[in-house]
Amino acid sequence: MLTDRQLLDQLEAKSKALFGDDIGTGQNNVLGMYLRVIAWLQTIVNQDVAAVYYANFIDQAEGVSLDHLGANYSVDRNPAQAATVTLNFTGTPGAKVPEGTVYATADAVEFEMIDTVTLTSDGTGSGQAQCTAMDESGNVAADTITVKVENLAGVDTVTNSVQSSGGASLEDDDSYRQRIHLSMESQPGPTYYGLYTALYTLPGVEQVQIVPNLTMDVDQYGNPAKSLHFYVRGGRQDDVGQAILDNIAAGIQTTGTIKVTAKDIGGHTHDVFFDVATIVRSTSK
């Protein structure tokens, strides 16, 4: 695509061919100013035409154009999503934590209750809360949500025994483009590619690793016979468990320290196991 300078050179050359070499095309001449306006407008038109052309290709399309291409493969851009977590309370038996009550971390990451909790006879209770921010900032570590933004009578302490999960910003073009290509290689299903596709489709999932043990014995990692061990970083745990159940082959058992109860198409419940992938930082000299 020609730049505005190249377009101006062409317009100046054409003007001199029509009106003679001594015609003034400088920036202070009337014709020169007119040619510069035309070159600028033509550059904008050329950019729009190029954008329309490249919008037909997954590797070049951006924004809404990429969304339209993804829809052709039944792959939608993952929306922004708030992190969720279970909060545990102690206090006076019978005390209530209403829906909408806000708690926070020391860094002012706020979580709003989506359950109403009534403390039991031993003064404990738990309920679900959701981060007020729709991005990754809500994915906080265990035992960090301890600040009572609103003081409630009878509620002494609050904390989260496990880390919050599922927070994600609106999926960017690069990540979305990668998932479109992945879906073209394999649709969600019981194959390895299919399982990876199904899990990477979930909002917030950043990394997936599947460790199979296809032998009849426990392997070197302690995985039982004929099992798949899923390691997933990011995403909501309930969503991860449901995606595994929806796509894993019948008869294959899962293993891991996290248990999620998911339902099949007939409404029957199954326990799905997996683990959270962790980042191991290394340095080299």
Side-chain angles (χ1 to χ4, degrees), residues 21-44:
D21 291 337
D22 58 347
I23 190 70
T25 58
Q27 60 183 2
N28 295 322
N29 295 98
V30 174
L31 179 59
M33 289 186 284
Y34 175 76
L35 294 180
R36 281 164 175 76
V37 172
I38 296 300
W40 174 71
L41 291 173
Q42 187 62 50
T43 299
I44 294 176

Side-chain angles (χ1 to χ4, degrees), residues 182-201:
L182 188 61
S183 72
M184 295 166 65
E185 296 176 10
S186 178
Q187 293 295 313
T191 65
Y192 285 131
Y193 267 132
L195 291 169
Y196 279 113
T197 300
L199 290 170
Y200 275 120
T201 298

Side-chain angles (χ1 to χ4, degrees), residues 107-127:
D107 298 327
V109 180
E110 296 186 341
F111 289 79
E112 182 177 341
M113 293 297 298
I114 54 178
D115 290 336
T116 296
V117 178
T118 301
L119 301 190
T120 60
S121 58
D122 63 354
T124 63
S126 62

Side-chain angles (χ1 to χ4, degrees), residues 18-266:
L18 292 174
F19 307 120
D21 291 337
D22 58 347
I23 190 70
T25 58
Q27 60 183 2
N28 295 322
N29 295 98
V30 174
L31 179 59
M33 289 186 284
Y34 175 76
L35 294 180
R36 281 164 175 76
V37 172
I38 296 300
W40 174 71
L41 291 173
Q42 187 62 50
T43 299
I44 294 176
V45 171
N46 290 351
Q47 290 173 345
D48 289 342
V49 171
V52 171
Y53 173 75
Y54 287 119
N56 294 287
F57 304 97
I58 293 174
D59 288 334
Q60 284 78 36
E62 298 177 344
V64 176
S65 297
L66 185 59
D67 291 339
H68 293 325
L69 290 177
N72 293 335
Y73 300 94
S74 299
V75 180
D76 296 325
R77 187 188 298 269
N78 286 330
Q81 177 175 275
T84 57
V85 67
T86 298
L87 296 183
N88 303 313
F89 302 92
T90 62
T92 304
K96 288 191 175 182
V97 181
E99 179 183 353
T101 306
V102 177
Y103 296 93
T105 68
D107 298 327
V109 180
E110 296 186 341
F111 289 79
E112 182 177 341
M113 293 297 298
I114 54 178
D115 290 336
T116 296
V117 178
T118 301
L119 301 190
T120 60
S121 58
D122 63 354
T124 63
S126 62
Q128 286 287 306
Q130 179 174 284
C131 185
T132 57
M134 303 280 283
D135 55 34
E136 297 85 352
S137 64
N139 299 326
V140 300
D143 300 319
T144 57
I145 308 173
T146 57
V147 179
K148 294 183 287 184
V149 177
E150 307 172 44
N151 285 316
L152 297 177
V155 178
D156 297 333
T157 66
V158 59
T159 190
N160 56 311
S161 58
V162 297
Q163 68 180 28
S164 59
S165 62
S169 300
L170 179 67
E171 187 173 25
D172 60 35
D173 284 348
D174 288 339
S175 175
Y176 184 34
R177 190 176 290 115
Q178 181 182 4
R179 289 199 303 110
I180 295 174
H181 282 301
L182 188 61
S183 72
M184 295 166 65
E185 296 176 10
S186 178
Q187 293 295 313
T191 65
Y192 285 131
Y193 267 132
L195 291 169
Y196 279 113
T197 300
L199 290 170
Y200 275 120
T201 298
L202 301 178
V205 170
E206 299 176 359
Q207 186 176 8
V208 178
Q209 182 64 45
I210 304 174
V211 178
N213 178 16
L214 304 181
T215 70
M216 296 301 294
D217 302 305
V218 175
D219 67 11
Q220 58 182 321
Y221 306 111
N223 297 321
K226 300 297 182 181
S227 67
L228 293 178
H229 197 158
F230 293 83
Y231 292 88
V232 183
R233 183 161 66 90
R236 292 179 177 172
Q237 293 183 359
D238 288 344
D239 293 342
V240 172
Q242 188 65 55
I244 292 174
L245 178 64
D246 289 344
N247 294 280
I248 198 171
I252 300 296
Q253 70 170 312
T254 57
T255 184
T257 59
I258 298 174
K259 182 177 78 171
V260 171
T261 301
K263 290 185 178 182
D264 62 23
I265 193 172

Side-chain angles (χ1 to χ4, degrees), residues 260-282:
V260 171
T261 301
K263 290 185 178 182
D264 62 23
I265 193 172
H268 307 100
T269 59
H270 303 266
D271 290 335
V272 179
F273 298 87
F274 62 95
D275 275 305
V276 175
T278 56
I279 299 176
V280 178
R281 303 189 182 279
S282 61

